[in-house]
Amino acid sequence: MNRFVIAKIIIIFSSLSYLGLIFFRNYNSPENIEKRCILKFEKDFKIPLETPREEWGLILDLADNNYLKCMGIPQY
């Protein structure tokens, strides 16, 4: 009985560890990072049509910088 409990604990721990590694590998894949950054970029990009041209340019620059920062691309 004692061996069965120990084996059960080892199997559960191993399974959880394996599932955790798969999740983090999938979560940190370049495709998923890009999807998350695009969603953040789209939120920054939604602005009213009445916005002046100068302010529009500043907002686009800010959104672009946020996208590059999210993707981990160094900025100059």
Side-chain angles (χ1 to χ4, degrees), residues 59-73:
I59 291 172
L60 285 177
D61 287 342
L62 179 65
D64 190 39
N65 288 340
N66 288 343
Y67 177 75
L68 293 174
K69 186 195 298 186
C70 181
M71 290 295 292
I73 299 172

Side-chain angles (χ1 to χ4, degrees), residues 12-75:
I12 290 171
F13 182 73
S14 299
S15 299
L16 289 176
S17 298
Y18 181 70
L19 288 174
L21 288 173
I22 289 174
F23 171 78
F24 285 120
R25 184 174 49 178
N26 187 32
Y27 184 78
N28 291 325
S29 71
E31 295 86 19
N32 287 334
I33 291 172
E34 185 176 2
K35 286 178 187 176
R36 288 192 305 270
C37 291
I38 287 173
L39 287 174
K40 287 180 185 178
F41 178 77
E42 286 175 352
K43 277 195 252 178
D44 289 343
F45 193 65
K46 292 181 183 176
I47 52 177
L49 293 175
E50 304 87 31
T51 306
R53 189 173 184 88
E54 295 82 21
E55 189 177 342
W56 177 261
L58 293 174
I59 291 172
L60 285 177
D61 287 342
L62 179 65
D64 190 39
N65 288 340
N66 288 343
Y67 177 75
L68 293 174
K69 186 195 298 186
C70 181
M71 290 295 292
I73 299 172
Q75 300 173 11

